Amino acid sequence: MHNHTSEFLLLEFSKIWELQIIYAGLLLILYLMTLTGNLLIIIAVVFDHRLHVPMYFFLMNLAILDIGLVSVIIPKAIFNSLTNIRHICYSGCVTQVLMFVFFAGSDIAVLTLMAYDRYVAICKPLHYEIIINRTACTKMISCAWIASFLNSVMNTVETFIIPFCSNIIHQFYCEIPHLLKITCSGSYITKLGVVFFSITLGFGCFVFIVITYVQIFTAVLKIPSIQGRKKAFSTCVPHLTIFSIFLFTSIFAYVRPISNRASVFDFIITILYSIIPPLMNPLIYSMRNKELKGALSKIFWSFVFEKTWNCIAISSSI
């Protein structure tokens, strides 16, 4: 078939229409939950000036990236399931790979920056405002987005430059490992290059975060106040947990052998690194965060009060 492929055939969840509907419904629920949680974080940070600090600036960027990450893959999967079709055009598959790798790479970069932000806040509190100022935050985020985009372009080019000998992808979106599986033999060096480079970048971020958290935990253990230790640990441990889930499941998805047929295990692994982290991030960073909950509550009641006041004003004028 080589690169004359005009479209790819994605995973067919079931031949039974009712199960297809259930599959689409579950994906829709996950998508709406992810969208709602991350949008609430963005709204809170944008409209509450008290949250205009580096920590929430990074969190808002993470929320934007999480929305992009799930929006690249879930709507198409839901549409395919509801319309009982499997195909995705060649250009659509290229775009999906490009955007997914960009958002996923940016996610890892921003999580790494958040770890650095916590390190400076806990280990160098007196120099925090000098090191993590507005200009530094803008530069770090810009570098993360640009580097992730360049990495995404390189991964996409290296993936699609290889000739394809099949157009059947045993996954619900154009995932790179499954695309590499259907390429023609004799392109092993390019395949290894795609996988090795991405894993090296991700693992490098992980090593940096581990070193950072070793320093953080060492500093936290020196805090005399039990309440202070608890607050520091409650900020760092969830962040390390979600990063580990995201990184190691994605690395596992890339390095393990891909089966020649559709597999429930493959599907679960992909869900674990592509959908669960964007879904969990708002829960982890907002449920135990008093500032975020306070901001959302204030915005909600301001909105309700404004609507009520407008209704009263309109009724009085009538």
Side-chain angles (χ1 to χ4, degrees):
M1 182 170 290
H2 302 284
N3 275 2
H4 300 298
T5 308
S6 60
E7 66 178 21
F8 294 95
L9 296 179
L10 298 174
L11 175 69
E12 183 181 33
F13 182 73
S14 174
K15 294 185 182 297
I16 302 172
W17 169 246
E18 289 77 9
L19 291 179
Q20 289 276 61
I21 295 297
I22 293 173
Y23 167 67
L26 290 174
L27 280 181
L28 181 61
I29 291 170
L30 290 174
Y31 182 62
L32 291 177
M33 288 173 63
T34 305
L35 206 63
T36 302
N38 285 289
L39 278 175
L40 286 175
I41 288 178
I42 295 169
I43 290 168
V45 175
V46 169
F47 290 101
D48 195 322
H49 69 279
R50 295 173 300 175
L51 301 183
H52 293 177
V53 294
M55 177 176 134
Y56 294 107
F57 174 70
F58 291 132
L59 187 56
M60 183 183 69
N61 273 270
L62 183 66
I64 293 170
L65 292 168
D66 284 340
I67 290 174
L69 187 68
V70 293
S71 297
V72 167
I73 58 175
I74 295 184
K76 176 62 176 174
I78 294 173
F79 176 79
N80 280 10
S81 186
L82 290 176
T83 54
N84 201 25
I85 61 175
R86 296 173 58 191
H87 69 265
I88 181 171
C89 65
Y90 187 90
S91 59
C93 193
V94 172
T95 303
Q96 204 171 59
V97 169
L98 178 71
M99 298 310 296
F100 182 82
V101 175
F102 166 66
F103 285 123
S106 300
D107 237 28
I108 290 176
V110 172
L111 286 168
T112 306
L113 291 176
M114 289 173 71
Y116 178 69
D117 173 68
R118 292 300 84 208
Y119 162 75
V120 177
I122 293 172
C123 299
K124 300 181 179 180
L126 299 178
H127 300 91
Y128 181 77
E129 292 186 2
I130 298 173
I131 299 173
I132 311 291
N133 52 53
R134 180 174 293 183
T135 304
C137 289
T138 305
K139 286 181 179 178
M140 286 190 285
I141 285 294
S142 299
C143 288
W145 283 55
I146 293 170
S148 298
F149 182 73
L150 293 176
N151 174 55
S152 176
V153 170
M154 190 190 71
N155 273 270
T156 305
V157 170
E158 288 187 344
T159 300
F160 287 94
I161 205 172
I162 309 172
F164 294 100
C165 290
S166 173
N167 70 337
I168 300 174
I169 302 173
H170 296 301
Q171 192 54 271
F172 67 96
Y173 73 97
C174 292
E175 189 183 38
I176 288 181
H178 284 270
L179 283 167
L180 295 177
K181 180 68 178 178
I182 62 174
T183 55
C184 302
S185 58
S187 306
Y188 298 111
I189 295 177
T190 308
K191 292 180 184 181
L192 289 174
V194 173
V195 174
F196 181 75
F197 185 76
S198 298
I199 290 174
T200 302
L201 285 178
F203 192 71
C205 290
F206 177 72
V207 170
F208 176 83
I209 287 180
V210 168
I211 294 171
T212 301
Y213 274 104
V214 167
Q215 306 243 3
I216 289 174
F217 291 147
T218 303
V220 166
L221 292 174
K222 294 178 182 177
I223 298 175
S225 165
I226 296 176
Q227 191 65 27
R229 289 185 191 178
K230 186 178 178 182
K231 184 178 180 181
F233 275 121
S234 67
T235 323
C236 300
V237 172
H239 177 220
L240 187 59
T241 303
I242 199 67
F243 183 85
S244 299
I245 293 172
F246 183 43
L247 182 65
F248 286 111
T249 51
S250 58
I251 287 178
F252 182 71
Y254 269 64
V255 299
R256 68 191 174 79
I258 303 295
S259 60
N260 292 318
R261 60 179 185 214
S263 166
V264 175
F265 183 70
D266 289 349
F267 179 77
I268 292 173
I269 290 296
T270 301
I271 291 291
L272 280 176
Y273 83 84
S274 62
I275 297 178
I276 297 302
L279 173 66
M280 294 300 295
N281 280 337
L283 299 176
I284 287 174
Y285 293 113
S286 63
M287 290 299 289
R288 300 177 64 183
N289 190 303
K290 292 181 180 179
E291 289 84 2
L292 265 177
K293 288 193 288 187
L296 287 172
S297 178
K298 180 182 176 183
I299 292 168
F300 174 76
W301 287 114
S302 297
F303 177 78
V304 171
F305 177 77
E306 184 181 349
K307 287 293 182 182
T308 305
W309 180 258
N310 289 338
C311 289
I312 293 172
I314 292 170
S315 299
S316 301
S317 63
I318 294 173

